């Protein structure tokens, strides 16, 4: 089976890492898998940076599209992450992937122009599409902040800080509606890591008729595994007796991920116990008004060390699908304290592998973190349970096998497992 995985990035961001892990799993199970991306930063020979046609016309077209997208988004300077369905690559990319049996789309904002790519691609190959957030189902936002306007056409988008009924979100939604309504319901199979996101698809105005499957993200439990905490802390110059709370985000100041809450939360916890330390991993500085340490951007190879130094992972996210950070923490034997947002309640077993609290209930989040920091025996027991769960349910090899079974079904040729 020949599989092309399409992603804007190969290693940057959770969606790209999830896709790359799957590619590795496919290859290990004998599939001819190749990852095709717009932005290649790693050295994996199985990853190809797609450049498209070098003709003057094609290059001018990509420049014009890039200018158009920048101009549209530039009208909304206060926006949170938002990308329309337009991108730099279209029919030439559909031509490139025509040799593959399955094209497995992941997060492809700014990479693929859906209006150009999908109608051409569905005539050449079978399409499976893993949704890592809400971008495909909305008018362009990645999480809708509970506005729900995508159910009836978007417009007056809070993510754009817009009050216009016919704004960019409304126009993008309308173009997506026309595009997907022209496709046959057999043309695409959507895969969601969480049942939460699948339920949103089920009721969607123009995506609800397509096939849906739920397959969770996976983790390499041989790379992410418990490590000697004292050794790692010594290497990172973190006091041995510190109570370390880990916060991981691509951008540590991301409001959706809860970065704005950290200073007040940490100040209170540090008043309780001066040994408490906030450890952050991601671009951006740690809060200046609390005891903290920033690791900055951490490569995937070194990321297990960040978990190895921590006592617990804090995830105050107000919107999330199936975050890799939970899987990584579990595999490293670290419990999780989180808001019960999106698909997170499907991952965190409150009282067993961590603690869940209602979204936006900061006092409850504080109490949950405080309780775990003070209960070393309970924290260690939760970490063991989390590790067991990661190995039993979330090893990336299991996820790869489940995907290959689905792809075989889509092709009408069930895959026999080695």
């Amino acid at each position: 089976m020949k599989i092309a995985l399409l992603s804007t990035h190969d290693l940057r961001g959770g969606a790209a890492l999830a896709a790359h892990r799957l590619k590795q799993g496919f290859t290990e199970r004998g599939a001819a898998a190749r990852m095709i991306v717009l932005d290649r930063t790693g050295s994996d020979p199985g990853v190809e940076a797609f450049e498209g046609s070098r003709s003057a016309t094609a290059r001018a077209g990509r420049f014009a599209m890039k200018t158009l997208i920048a101009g549209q988004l530039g009208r909304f300077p206060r926006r949170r992450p938002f990308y329309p369905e337009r991108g730099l690559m279209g029919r030439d990319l559909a031509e490139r992937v025509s040799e593959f049996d399955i094209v497995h789309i992941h997060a492809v904002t700014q990479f693929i122009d859906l209006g150009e790519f999908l109608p051409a691609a569905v005539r050449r190959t079978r399409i499976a599409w893993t949704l890592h957030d809400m971008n495909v189902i909305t008018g362009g936002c990645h999480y809708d902040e509970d506005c729900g306007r995508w159910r009836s056409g978007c417009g007056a988008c809070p993510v754009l800080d817009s009050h216009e009924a016919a704004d960019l979100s409304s126009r993008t939604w309308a173009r997506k509606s026309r595009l997907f309504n022209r496709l046959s319901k057999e043309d695409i199979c959507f895969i969601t890591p969480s049942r939460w996101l699948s339920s949103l698809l089920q009721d969607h105005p123009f995506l609800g008729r397509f096939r849906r499957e739920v397959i969770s993200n996976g983790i390499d439990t041989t790379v992410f595994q418990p490590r000697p905490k004292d050794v790692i802390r010594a290497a990172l110059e973190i006091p041995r007796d510190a109570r370390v709370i880990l916060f991981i985000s691509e951008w540590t100041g991301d409001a959706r991920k809860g970065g704005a809450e950290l200073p007040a939360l940490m100040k209170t916890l540090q008043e309780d116990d001066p040994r408490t330390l906030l450890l952050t991993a991601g671009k951006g500085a740690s809060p200046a008004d609390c005891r903290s340490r920033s690791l900055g951007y951490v490569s995937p190879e070194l990321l297990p060390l960040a978990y190895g130094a921590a006592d617990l992972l804090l995830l105050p996210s107000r919107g999330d699908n199936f975050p890799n950070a939970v899987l990584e923490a579990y595999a490293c034997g670290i419990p999780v304290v989180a808001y019960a947002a999106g698909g997170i309640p499907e991952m965190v077993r409150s009282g067993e592998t961590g603690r869940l609290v209602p979204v936006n209930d900061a006092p409850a989040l504080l109490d949950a973190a405080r309780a775990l920091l003070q209960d070393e025996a309970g924290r260690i027991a939760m970490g063991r349970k989390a590790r067991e769960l990661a190995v039993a349910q979330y090893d990336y090899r299991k996820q790869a096998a489940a995907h290959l079974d689905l792809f075989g079904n889509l092709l009408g040729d069930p895959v026999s497992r080695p």
Side-chain angles (χ1 to χ4, degrees), residues 236 238 246 248 252 278-284 286 293-299 302-303 305-307 309:
L236 296 177
I238 293 173
L246 178 64
I248 289 186
T252 56
L278 174 66
L279 182 66
T280 63
K283 295 179 180 178
S286 291
R293 169 81 182 279
S294 173
L295 298 177
Y297 168 77
V298 180
S299 69
L302 296 179
L303 196 53
L305 299 182
Y307 290 99

Side-chain angles (χ1 to χ4, degrees), residues 11-190:
L11 296 175
R12 203 183 84 192
L17 288 173
H20 193 267
R21 287 167 185 158
L22 262 184
K23 194 272 299 180
Q24 180 181 345
F26 293 156
T27 302
E28 290 175 4
R29 300 189 74 86
R34 188 160 187 80
M35 195 170 177
I36 302 175
V37 302
L38 180 67
D39 173 38
R40 180 176 184 264
T41 56
S43 57
D44 184 345
V47 177
E48 166 190 336
F50 186 76
E51 296 184 357
S53 170
R54 300 299 298 166
S55 72
T57 301
R59 284 185 284 129
R62 289 195 291 271
F63 178 79
M65 180 59 72
K66 191 173 183 178
T67 303
L68 172 65
I69 294 171
Q72 289 179 331
L73 295 178
R75 291 190 55 222
F76 304 95
R78 295 179 62 188
R79 67 182 173 85
R80 275 80 80 193
F82 184 102
Y83 291 102
E85 88 293 0
R86 289 171 164 153
L88 302 182
M89 305 299 174
R91 295 182 186 181
D92 51 350
L93 180 59
E95 211 170 289
R96 168 69 185 89
V97 300
S98 62
E99 68 179 80
F100 294 89
D101 303 307
I102 293 284
V103 171
H104 189 190
I105 304 175
H106 288 266
V108 291
T109 53
Q110 298 182 284
F111 179 21
I112 295 180
D113 188 286
L114 299 185
E116 290 287 319
F117 175 79
L118 283 179
V122 297
R123 294 196 298 267
R124 293 172 164 89
T125 185
R126 298 303 304 270
I127 303 288
W129 194 338
T130 291
L131 303 187
H132 294 276
D133 53 37
M134 295 177 65
N135 178 262
V136 176
I137 75 176
T138 70
C141 67
H142 290 267
Y143 290 92
D144 70 348
E145 301 185 2
D146 294 325
C147 85
R149 291 185 176 90
W150 53 267
R151 299 179 187 276
S152 56
C154 286
C157 177
V159 172
L160 293 175
D161 195 27
S162 164
H163 301 286
E164 304 172 23
D167 63 11
L168 178 59
S169 71
S170 174
R171 298 194 299 274
T172 299
W173 193 98
R175 289 195 301 268
K176 286 182 178 179
S177 177
R178 290 191 294 271
L179 167 63
F180 283 102
N181 281 325
R182 288 198 298 267
L183 300 178
S184 165
K185 66 179 183 179
E186 291 81 22
D187 284 340
I188 300 175
C189 173
F190 285 108

Side-chain angles (χ1 to χ4, degrees), residues 233 239-245 264-278 290-292 311-312 366 369-376 379:
R233 288 190 177 182
R240 181 177 180 178
D241 66 343
R243 298 290 180 259
V244 180
I245 294 178
L265 177 69
M266 292 305 303
K267 182 178 180 181
T268 302
L269 290 174
Q270 287 168 357
E271 288 172 353
D272 292 343
D273 186 341
R275 296 174 299 173
T276 306
L277 173 72
L278 174 66
C290 67
R291 185 174 177 229
S292 62
D311 290 301
L312 65 86
L366 175 65
R370 179 189 289 122
L372 271 188
L373 289 176
Q374 294 174 349
D375 181 9
E376 183 175 4
R379 195 172 65 242

